[in-house]
């Protein structure tokens, strides 16, 4: 009995193999030999692939419920989150696994860069990998649009405004991107097609190429100082070593991949279950101007760069930097495809890496804080801290009111609360003299708008009087050296000429 | 083209492949036909894809409401539905502008889209400033740039008054090309 079953199964397999050649096609994927020292550093590529597979599966399921129409997308997300069994979990998995995929891709790329695995003969593997990085980011960006909430709407607005800066054809590019002269149904449909058809298809093709190249060129060994890549001899030497000391991918390397991928999967699953889906934020109705749009994590550094760049160079940087970055990444293995691979022998590369990582990390962190953004509701939601009102004169109290009402705290914090765009005002009385404060309020300067036309001279006087009382305990009021000393103390209100302030 | 079979002696097997001249013709024909067919098939593809670039989108005069809705000395949010709207646009077809009335029957109509990168600016009546939530751009009440990254003042719409109604010339997402 068992014999005959074995025979039938064996026959079926043999038939399939003889007609398809499937096993001989797939077998090298499993049996190819990898360097013995390819240990935990090498798990991140597999993890990227695993998260991509999860994106494909959850993405297909989400596509069965999501309505890719600007009129219905938002409601369909609400429906998925609240009505569909496990719908929220699918969305959560899709969102968090996308973040995890970006992270894995970045770590994988860092490892390849630091170990110089992109050198001969793996130049093309690196280039395909760079394209995969761009696909991953493009998937993340278009995915963010699928949420079709305020962040998506205004994120598209930012994209459109960047396109607009391209000379001559900017407006045309913008319209092609949006599918028309404004952000609407055509825009969402375009990004949907990109997100679900074009980009995944491209990604799968590139992953195929990446894998084929792995089989062709083999996995690089751990770099050792003194082990130099010489294109003339490398291939023969590598094959020799692999033959002698290499181990089969399955199970030696695959088991480590599985352990790591399993752990990551559990982690991301737990994260998704605990944190839930990302968004959607507010309704994508452009007449709701209370929006506070923020991009997803992967793009926060760009958001920061756009906030901090001097306006004079911004357009130039926006147009020139992206092609330079793309060319530099793609061209890297052509610039340096031989020589040492060990990080200890490539200080320049390591320093560049640390520098780039620090800059991106810092920009991302600054984007989380986004100190440059006014806190739009600070003036109505954050009361003046009571300790700043104790023992103040009526004029100074009035000044506190003016400060509150004039939205000063949207940009300036008091008692640790408020905007961070301008300096905090806790100690402003000992930093600036009366006259300096009047001038700053009236004329603005630095990054501050001028309030000269918007505040009456009485209001200016009051708010300045209040600010001169904002000093650390015991600190004297700031004066301009050599200027006439003004008669003032906390209990004696200063008496500037009211008419003066308006000049 | 002559019949090549006449050259073949009848008692010998035919050559294994047709002579190269004919194969060359066939290949050229194939490439040519594929090219023509492909070109015809790609007319709608390319046409569809680049229409947004070539088409001149028309603005229209849109009624924002009676001028009494925009009292002098105030800046208020005006709302309208995009005249180019498509049925699938949903709420994204709704649009907003800031309308400032500074003299009797004198208006300035600003785009809510920040001149930096298009985020929605908000008006603060008390400090008479427009503030942008994205990168901290600030504008004065007349739309001129006060501080922050915007390279210029707020975009303005053309406006006119007809039968006591305020009309603006709108339909496109405001951008650098749109300046009064
Ligand atoms: S979009 Fe308004 S400051 Fe950048």
């Amino acid at each position: 009995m068992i014999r005959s079953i074995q025979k039938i199964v064996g026959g079926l397999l043999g038939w399939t193999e003889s007609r398809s050649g499937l096993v001989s096609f797939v077998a090298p994927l499993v049996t190819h030999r990898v360097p013995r020292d390819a240990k935990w550093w090498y798990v991140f590529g597999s993890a990227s692939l695993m998260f991509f597979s999860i994106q494909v599966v959850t993405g297909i399921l989400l596509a069965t419920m999501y309505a890719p129409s600007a009129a219905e997308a938002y409601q369909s997300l609400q429906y998925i989150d609240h009505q569909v069994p496990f719908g929220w979990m699918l969305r959560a998995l899709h969102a968090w696994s996308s973040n995890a995929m970006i992270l894995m891709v970045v770590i994988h790329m860092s490892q390849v860069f630091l170990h110089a695995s992109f050198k001969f003969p793996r130049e093309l593997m690196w280039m395909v990998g760079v394209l995969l990085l761009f696909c991953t980011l493009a998937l993340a960006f278009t995915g963010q649009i699928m949420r079709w909430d305020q962040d998506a709407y205004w994120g598209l607005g930012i994209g459109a405004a960047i396109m607009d800066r391209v000379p001559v054809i900017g407006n045309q590019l913008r319209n092609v991107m949006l599918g028309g002269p404004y952000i609407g149904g055509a825009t969402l449909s375009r990004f949907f097609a990109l997100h679900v058809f074009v980009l995944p298809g491209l990604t799968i093709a590139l992953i195929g190429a990446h894998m084929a190249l792995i089989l062709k060129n083999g996995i690089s060994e751990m770099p050792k100082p003194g082990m130099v890549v010489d294109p003339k001899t490398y291939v023969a030497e590598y094959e020799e070593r692999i033959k002698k000391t290499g181990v089969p991918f399955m199970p030696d390397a695959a088991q480590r991949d599985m352990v790591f991928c399993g752990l990551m999967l559990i982690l991301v699953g737990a994260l998704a279950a605990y944190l839930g889906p990302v968004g959607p934020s507010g309704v994508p109705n452009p007449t709701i101007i209370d929006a506070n749009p923020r991009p997803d994590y992967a793009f926060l550094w760009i958001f920061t760069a756009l906030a901090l760049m001097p306006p004079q160079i911004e357009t130039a940087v926006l147009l020139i930097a992206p092609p330079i970055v793309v060319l530099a990444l793609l061209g890297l293995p052509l610039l340096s495809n031989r020589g040492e691979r060990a990080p200890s022998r490539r200080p320049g590369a390591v320093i560049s890496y640390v520098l780039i990582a620090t800059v991106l990390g810092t920009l991302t962190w600054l984007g989380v804080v986004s100190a440059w953004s006014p806190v739009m509701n600070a003036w109505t939601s954050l009361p003046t801290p009571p300790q700043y009102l104790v023992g103040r004169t009526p004029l100074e109290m009035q000044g506190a009111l003016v400060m509150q009402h004039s939205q000063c705290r949207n940009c300036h914090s008091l008692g640790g609360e408020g905007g961070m765009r301008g300096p905090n005002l806790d100690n402003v009385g000992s930093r600036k003299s009366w006259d300096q404060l009047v001038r700053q309020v009236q004329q603005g300067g630095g990054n501050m708008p001028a309030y000269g036309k918007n505040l009456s001279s009485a209001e200016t006087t009051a708010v300045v009087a209040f600010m001169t009382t904002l000093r650390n305990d015991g600190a004297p009021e700031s004066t301009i050296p050599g200027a006439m000393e003004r008669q003032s103390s906390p209990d004696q209100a200063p008496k500037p000429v009211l008419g003066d302030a308006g000049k | 083209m002559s019949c090549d079979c006449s050259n073949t002696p009848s008692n010998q097997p035919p050559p294994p492949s047709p002579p190269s001249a004919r194969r060359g013709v066939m290949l050229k024909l194939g490439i040519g036909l594929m090219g023509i067919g492909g070109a015809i098939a790609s007319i709608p593809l390319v046409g569809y894809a680049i229409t947004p670039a070539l088409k001149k989108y028309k603005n229209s005069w849109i009624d924002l409401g009676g001028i009494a809705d925009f009292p002098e000395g105030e800046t208020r949010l005006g709302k309208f539905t995009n005249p180019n709207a498509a049925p699938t646009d949903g709420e994204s077809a709704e649009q907003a502008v800031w309308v400032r009335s500074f003299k009797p029957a004198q208006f300035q109509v600003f785009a809510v889209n920040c001149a930096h990168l298009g985020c929605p600016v908000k008006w603060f009546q008390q400090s008479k400033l427009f503030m942008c939530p994205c990168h901290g751009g600030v504008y004065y009440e007349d739309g001129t740039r006060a501080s922050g990254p915007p390279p210029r003042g707020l975009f303005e719409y053309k406006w006119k008054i007809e039968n006591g109604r305020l009309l603006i010339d709108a339909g496109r997402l405001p951008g650098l090309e749109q300046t009064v």
Side-chain angles (χ1 to χ4, degrees), chain A residues 149-227:
Chain A
D149 53 6
Q150 286 177 342
D151 289 346
Y153 184 92
W154 297 109
L156 283 168
I158 291 184
I162 292 177
M163 291 284 172
D164 234 358
R165 302 240 182 147
V166 177
V168 188
I169 54 162
N171 197 251
Q172 279 73 11
L173 281 182
R174 182 188 89 169
N175 291 348
V176 169
M177 171 186 151
L178 299 181
Y182 63 100
I183 302 166
T187 320
L188 177 59
S189 304
R190 274 178 184 236
F191 279 84
F192 180 76
L194 283 176
H195 186 71
V196 230
F197 299 113
V198 181
L199 289 168
L202 204 60
T203 308
I204 291 171
L206 288 169
I207 289 176
H210 207 60
M211 306 265 255
L213 287 167
I214 293 177
L215 292 182
K216 165 88 174 54
N217 296 316
I219 295 216
S220 70
E221 298 144 297
M222 281 296 279
K224 287 187 201 71
M227 211 164 126

Side-chain angles (χ1 to χ4, degrees), chain A residues 117-368:
Chain A
S117 307
F118 55 81
K119 292 195 174 181
F120 180 90
R122 303 188 178 81
E123 298 97 327
L124 207 52
M125 277 164 87
W126 167 270
M127 292 182 198
V128 172
V130 169
L131 295 181
L132 278 167
L133 170 76
F134 292 140
C135 279
T136 308
L137 291 177
L139 279 164
F141 183 79
T142 52
Q144 188 183 311
I145 305 301
M146 293 305 103
R147 255 182 257 143
W148 204 245
D149 53 6
Q150 286 177 342
D151 289 346
Y153 184 92
W154 297 109
L156 283 168
I158 291 184
I162 292 177
M163 291 284 172
D164 234 358
R165 302 240 182 147
V166 177
V168 188
I169 54 162
N171 197 251
Q172 279 73 11
L173 281 182
R174 182 188 89 169
N175 291 348
V176 169
M177 171 186 151
L178 299 181
Y182 63 100
I183 302 166
T187 320
L188 177 59
S189 304
R190 274 178 184 236
F191 279 84
F192 180 76
L194 283 176
H195 186 71
V196 230
F197 299 113
V198 181
L199 289 168
L202 204 60
T203 308
I204 291 171
L206 288 169
I207 289 176
H210 207 60
M211 306 265 255
L213 287 167
I214 293 177
L215 292 182
K216 165 88 174 54
N217 296 316
I219 295 216
S220 70
E221 298 144 297
M222 281 296 279
K224 287 187 201 71
M227 211 164 126
V228 179
V229 175
D230 178 357
K232 279 197 207 86
T233 54
Y234 180 84
V235 175
E237 284 171 7
Y238 174 81
E239 272 166 13
E240 183 68 28
R241 282 195 299 267
I242 285 291
K243 220 178 267 165
K244 259 197 228 133
T245 63
V247 291
F249 174 74
M250 185 80 184
D252 291 67
Q255 60 194 10
R256 256 187 301 269
D257 284 357
M258 285 182 198
V259 169
F260 181 72
C261 287
L263 280 178
M264 282 296 116
L265 197 51
I266 292 171
L267 197 73
V268 167
L271 209 62
Y274 181 66
L275 294 173
V278 178
S281 66
V283 196
N285 181 330
T287 62
I288 302 174
I289 34 87
D290 273 319
N292 187 18
R294 288 290 177 275
D296 283 354
Y297 279 107
F299 305 102
L300 270 178
W301 61 278
I302 302 179
F303 184 73
T304 305
L306 293 173
L308 301 185
M309 216 170 339
Q312 302 84 339
I313 60 164
E314 187 166 36
T315 302
V317 172
L318 277 176
L319 299 181
I320 297 169
I324 290 185
V325 171
V326 172
L327 285 182
L329 279 174
L330 283 176
L332 171 74
L334 302 180
L335 295 178
S336 143
N337 77 334
R338 57 180 67 219
E340 289 278 359
R341 284 182 52 215
S344 57
R345 299 282 170 90
R346 293 163 53 239
V350 176
I351 290 173
S352 323
Y353 179 82
V354 172
L355 207 68
I356 293 170
T358 315
V359 167
L360 290 183
T362 313
L363 288 179
T364 303
W365 169 244
L366 288 174
V368 174

Side-chain angles (χ1 to χ4, degrees), chain A residues 373-393:
Chain A
S373 294
V375 177
M376 300 292 240
N377 58 1
W379 67 294
T380 44
S381 66
L382 304 174
T384 308
Q387 71 267 27
Y388 290 124
L389 300 173
V390 178
R392 301 315 202 256
T393 65

Side-chain angles (χ1 to χ4, degrees), chain B residues 3-29:
Chain B
C3 176
D4 38 35
C5 46
S6 61
N7 302 338
T8 315
S10 55
N11 57 350
Q12 276 178 16
S17 62
S20 55
R22 187 162 128 193
R23 186 160 43 174
V25 171
M26 189 75 118
L27 186 63
K28 276 183 200 138
L29 186 68

